Amino acid sequence: MSGKREANLRLLQKLGIVAVAMFGFGFALVPFYEQICRVTGINNLLNPDEEVVNTQVDTGRQVTIEFDANVHDLPWRFKPTRNSVTVHPGEVVNITYEVSNTRDRPVAGQAVPSYGPQEAGQYFRKLDCFCFTRQTLNAGETREMPVVFVVDPRLPKDVNTITLSYTFFEVAGATAQEQAAPGREGKS
Amino acid sequence: MEATHVHGAEHAHEHHPSGIMRWITTTNHKDIGTLYLWFSLIMFFTGGVMALVIRAELFQPGLQVTEPEFYNQLVTMHGLVMVFGAIMPAFVGFANWQIPLMIGAPDMAFARMNNWSFWLLPPAALLLIGSFFVPGGATAAGWTLYAPLSVQMGVGMDMAIFAVHIMGISSIMGAINIITTVLNMRAPGMTLMKMPLFCWTWLITAYLLIAVMPVLAGAVTMILTDRHFGTHFFNAAYGGDPIIYQHVFWFFGHPEVYIMILPAFGIVSQVIPTFARKPLFGYASMVYATASIAILSFIVWAHHMFVTGMPVAGQLYFMYATMLIAVPTGVKVFNWVATMFKGSMTFETPMLWATGFIFVFTMGGFTGLMLAIAPLDIQLQETYYVVAHFHYVLVAGSLFALFAGTYYWLPKWTGHMYDEKLGKWHFWLSMISFNVAFFPQHFLGLAGMPRRMPDYALQFANFNEVSTIGAMVFGFSQLILLWVVLKAIRGGEKAPAKVWEGAEGLEWTVPSPAPHHTFEEPPVVK
């Protein structure tokens, strides 16, 4: 009987060591996987994306961007804070437009951009723009609105000037609708 | 023999405390088995209530019953409670009760450690359930506790981590005990290849537990240190990698699913020969099939990760390796069917559960094969198809086998026959409602309904309605089991030593109910 007890304890010891070793093995898996990924090149999370190439600034070139602002049947004053900027293609540029509502009630408007020359539009990458969303201005409110853009370095060589023109259109009835439904309910 | 048992010197320390202290201080394998089984039944109902709240929420599109945050907590806790609280302890309970009886041992090898293995579980369960009531609520990262979400959750996550630690220690101690018992405590003449298959499947399961539970403990420890102690195992911003968590977790997680099904195979392999009145067909091949499933389980883990951006070579390897597991599993299903072939079968409740198990488990196995196909899995990952698959193998597989075992050995445990009529009601209600609940989920998954979402698109409404009705019937049918067990404990027809006419094995040589001490003098097996 005591011989059996000893045999049991020996086995307990061995199995206990296996359990502890497997706990360590769990941690060893972390560097192990990292090495495997490095050797086989599976883990490409740390490799740079292709996008980076496109955003490199082409300092050998300058392009003038002119800004234009129009309103269509809207009681708003709308103008760019600067009339033009000169940029290198690939550079991130931050400009603002100023808009004020001269009416005595809230008015909603939507800006629509256009480009001159027209084919320059596809090389004009807007990262942020007030034209992405509808703008609602209270009575007499004045607002500065940003446009963040990058001119693609692949812009054809013969284009030296791009004109960015915005036209604001009124979104009829939008303000009344927003007042009726101030926010979306979480529950349906 | 047992009634006139003389207290020798080695038993002088036994005072037989009564009341609650009897259960807290017990080192008797039968008492501890009973504790494990009651614990898992309580956790089964706890996890079941969570499942019913989940299904109530999914009865209609939109949010009716729960907030989305609470829904995610419920989904997570349902998984953790059912896996670590219900299924695993239930099988350990069966091992405690049956393995010493089946191999002719007086008790488990380390009786006091056995007491510890059980009594670690209730504190772990309290930590887990208690985490619902702390600020931020329980962990809602899913039962897999994937980083980086698990690194970001509130204090409920820490409680879940400690609960997993404690339950892991409990499982490892239980597994060491089972291996030592099976290898060292067998009666003279009980060679390994004469052991009942249930002991074999548990021996292999115990090895799996010792190999992978520490890896899970390591994975959650890494989350813990990432959360509080400034390590960056899984934080990409500091050079860590959240995908590594998935690798480490599934290195545990895939063997874990076999930990939950191999003992079920063992139980079914005991029940079917009894009611087919034939010895198990292909005993040796069953042993080898179990061992090869266990070995294969270590090399297929990344089939849970086909969408993590694995290279094609990796996808192909894990796809074929996973499909290979169908071979030993197929051997098992073949052997069960061959055992029944030309047998003199009767369909008492245990046999109904065992044959039902073969039907539904095989369906779950087939959907598993489909999910193993990498291009298909990319479509089905994180849909209800996966939910249907693992409920077919875990509920209709593991749980139905547990029910088969419960009805099979209940007369041996309580000394009374269970109510056959109620048992049959339990089986048919469960079997039908289970399929009503989970079969439509295959369609939902194929149509693209995502898992772990409290709301869904309108076109999924009808199948979800059916599924919820099935789940409610299934849930409440389980109360019949409680009724049957309580009824058998309180009384009923006296069960003979050999409860089933076709039963073989040492456990049927002791009286029913099995006396407190059995096989103090080892039986001789010819």
Side-chain angles (χ1 to χ4, degrees):
Chain A
M1 198 66 195
S2 65
K4 186 172 263 183
R5 180 95 197 132
E6 268 165 34
N8 286 353
L9 287 173
R10 270 201 306 278
L11 194 53
L12 171 71
Q13 212 171 9
K14 278 183 206 157
L15 294 171
I17 290 170
V18 173
V20 173
M22 286 310 290
F23 184 72
F25 177 76
F27 284 86
L29 281 176
V30 175
F32 178 69
Y33 283 131
E34 272 167 5
Q35 285 307 318
I36 293 243
C37 290
R38 188 163 304 156
V39 170
T40 56
I42 294 170
N43 192 346
N44 52 13
L45 284 177
L46 301 176
N47 298 346
D49 279 343
E50 242 179 295
E51 288 291 312
V52 174
V53 179
N54 297 343
T55 57
Q56 269 178 353
V57 182
D58 182 358
T59 49
R61 220 182 137 189
Q62 286 192 325
V63 181
T64 303
I65 317 290
E66 295 176 346
F67 304 106
D68 178 41
N70 310 288
V71 288
H72 186 265
D73 276 349
L74 205 62
W76 284 8
R77 264 201 310 272
F78 178 44
K79 61 177 174 39
T81 46
R82 293 167 69 188
N83 287 326
S84 72
V85 291
T86 305
V87 301
H88 298 298
E91 192 180 346
V92 178
V93 185
N94 217 325
I95 57 112
T96 49
Y97 274 77
E98 199 179 275
V99 65
S100 43
N101 182 9
T102 56
R103 183 67 73 75
D104 56 356
R105 61 171 179 83
V107 178
Q110 173 71 54
V112 176
S114 66
Y115 306 93
Q118 209 177 350
E119 65 268 25
Q122 57 181 305
Y123 301 101
F124 202 93
R125 310 229 178 281
K126 288 195 290 291
L127 306 179
D128 190 15
C129 177
F130 58 86
C131 58
F132 290 167
T133 52
R134 179 195 301 159
Q135 302 291 333
T136 305
L137 270 77
N138 290 325
E141 186 185 346
T142 300
R143 191 180 288 176
E144 279 211 346
M145 302 181 298
V147 183
V148 182
F149 65 88
V150 175
V151 177
D152 196 314
R154 283 174 295 191
L155 182 75
K157 296 285 178 215
D158 58 327
V159 181
N160 295 316
T161 304
I162 303 173
T163 305
L164 171 63
S165 171
Y166 285 105
T167 306
F168 255 113
F169 293 86
E170 178 165 11
V171 183
T175 51
Q177 209 174 35
E178 274 166 27
Q179 274 157 0
R184 286 211 296 159
E185 292 278 335
K187 291 197 173 201
S188 58
Chain B
M1 177 181 96
E2 301 306 322
T4 58
H5 168 75
V6 181
H7 282 253
E10 57 186 291
H11 292 294
H13 63 278
E14 283 190 30
H15 307 298
H16 289 298
S18 55
I20 182 101
M21 287 313 283
R22 172 194 165 183
W23 296 102
I24 290 177
T25 60
T26 184
T27 56
N28 180 281
H29 73 99
K30 301 184 187 80
D31 282 356
I32 294 173
T34 305
L35 286 171
Y36 264 111
L37 290 170
W38 275 114
F39 173 81
S40 60
L41 193 63
I42 292 165
M43 294 306 275
F44 172 60
F45 282 113
T46 311
V49 169
M50 296 178 195
L52 293 190
V53 177
I54 291 168
R55 277 319 317 175
E57 174 55 56
L58 295 175
F59 185 58
Q60 287 181 325
L63 299 176
Q64 292 88 23
V65 183
T66 63
E67 294 295 315
E69 296 80 10
F70 184 60
Y71 179 88
N72 289 344
Q73 295 174 23
L74 280 176
V75 169
T76 304
M77 296 297 280
H78 166 72
L80 288 172
V81 164
M82 285 305 199
V83 168
F84 294 107
I87 301 284
M88 288 172 67
F91 280 124
V92 182
F94 273 83
N96 265 291
W97 250 104
Q98 292 308 131
I99 288 179
L101 284 180
M102 286 173 143
I103 62 172
D107 204 316
M108 298 296 279
F110 306 107
R112 200 159 296 280
M113 186 165 88
N114 205 14
N115 171 285
W116 262 97
S117 320
F118 173 74
W119 282 108
L120 282 176
L121 287 178
L126 286 178
L127 263 179
L128 207 54
I129 306 294
S131 69
F132 272 118
F133 305 102
V134 297
T139 170
W143 85 276
T144 53
L145 308 176
Y146 271 6
L149 194 52
S150 53
V151 180
Q152 297 162 355
M153 304 227 118
V155 69
M157 183 70 213
D158 297 311
M159 294 170 78
I161 288 174
F162 287 129
V164 168
H165 276 142
I166 297 171
M167 291 190 280
I169 292 170
S170 159
S171 294
I172 292 165
M173 297 201 315
I176 290 178
N177 219 336
I178 287 165
I179 293 177
T180 312
T181 307
V182 170
L183 292 186
N184 285 1
M185 308 280 285
R186 296 192 310 279
M190 174 66 81
T191 60
L192 280 175
M193 290 308 274
K194 272 188 197 166
M195 270 197 317
L197 209 75
F198 178 69
C199 303
W200 256 115
T201 54
W202 241 117
L203 177 67
I204 291 165
T205 303
Y207 274 113
L208 286 180
L209 275 169
I210 290 180
V212 302
M213 285 310 287
V215 176
L216 174 70
V220 294
T221 306
M222 285 182 233
I223 291 179
L224 192 74
T225 58
D226 266 17
R227 289 165 60 81
H228 298 296
F229 303 108
T231 61
H232 304 294
F233 287 107
F234 310 126
N235 189 337
Y238 293 90
D241 188 347
I243 299 293
I244 283 180
Y245 177 80
Q246 298 189 21
H247 279 294
V248 180
F249 179 85
W250 286 112
F251 186 86
F252 148 82
H254 201 74
E256 167 70 10
V257 307
Y258 295 110
I259 287 168
M260 291 189 282
I261 199 67
L262 291 182
F265 290 167
I267 291 174
V268 171
S269 303
Q270 300 300 129
V271 172
I272 286 181
T274 300
F275 297 96
R277 292 166 181 78
K278 273 175 66 189
L280 185 67
F281 183 88
Y283 172 90
S285 68
M286 283 299 225
V287 174
Y288 298 136
T290 311
S292 35
I293 292 174
I295 291 164
L296 286 173
S297 75
F298 283 103
I299 57 165
V300 298
W301 74 92
H303 64 216
H304 298 269
M305 303 169 53
F306 280 142
V307 298
T308 55
M310 213 189 299
V312 174
Q315 296 195 11
L316 287 175
Y317 161 73
F318 283 110
M319 173 169 118
Y320 291 127
T322 305
M323 290 177 163
L324 214 55
I325 296 182
V327 176
T329 314
V331 167
K332 282 183 167 291
V333 174
F334 177 84
N335 284 351
W336 291 322
V337 175
T339 306
M340 290 192 274
F341 185 65
K342 288 192 174 171
S344 325
M345 285 201 286
T346 51
F347 289 92
E348 286 87 343
T349 309
M351 183 63 164
L352 283 177
W353 284 110
T355 36
F357 163 93
I358 297 177
F359 268 105
V360 266
F361 173 78
T362 306
M363 282 162 73
F366 277 132
T367 53
L369 263 179
M370 288 175 69
L371 287 168
I373 302 168
L376 196 57
D377 181 74
I378 288 164
Q379 172 73 22
L380 296 175
Q381 170 98 16
E382 285 291 317
T383 67
Y384 261 78
Y385 196 85
V386 179
V387 176
H389 158 69
F390 69 70
H391 281 93
Y392 264 84
V393 284
L394 262 178
V395 178
S398 306
L399 187 67
F400 281 15
L402 282 165
F403 289 158
T406 304
Y407 284 99
Y408 186 55
W409 284 307
L410 198 60
K412 180 56 68 188
W413 300 338
T414 63
H416 304 289
M417 283 307 287
Y418 60 85
D419 189 325
E420 188 67 47
K421 197 185 229 173
L422 281 178
K424 289 208 160 93
W425 268 100
H426 179 211
F427 170 76
W428 285 111
L429 274 174
S430 298
M431 189 58 150
I432 293 166
S433 60
F434 169 81
N435 281 291
V436 172
F438 289 103
F439 204 79
Q441 296 186 2
H442 291 115
F443 307 136
L444 289 170
L446 287 169
M449 178 173 162
R451 286 170 78 174
R452 295 169 168 156
M453 295 287 166
D455 193 2
Y456 50 82
L458 293 179
Q459 69 265 32
F460 302 133
N462 290 349
F463 278 135
N464 270 299
E465 213 172 279
V466 172
S467 182
T468 294
I469 292 167
M472 293 292 163
V473 177
F474 184 80
F476 287 100
S477 302
Q478 304 318 309
L479 293 172
I480 301 175
L481 173 73
L482 189 64
W483 186 9
V484 168
V485 171
L486 291 176
K487 209 174 157 186
I489 290 172
R490 295 171 67 115
E493 191 196 325
K494 192 91 190 69
K498 193 175 173 182
V499 178
W500 311 107
E501 177 202 346
E504 302 279 349
L506 286 177
E507 79 258 43
W508 308 111
T509 63
V510 300
S512 302
H516 207 58
H517 294 288
T518 42
F519 300 128
E520 304 255 88
E521 292 300 321
V524 177
V525 181
K526 286 181 281 298

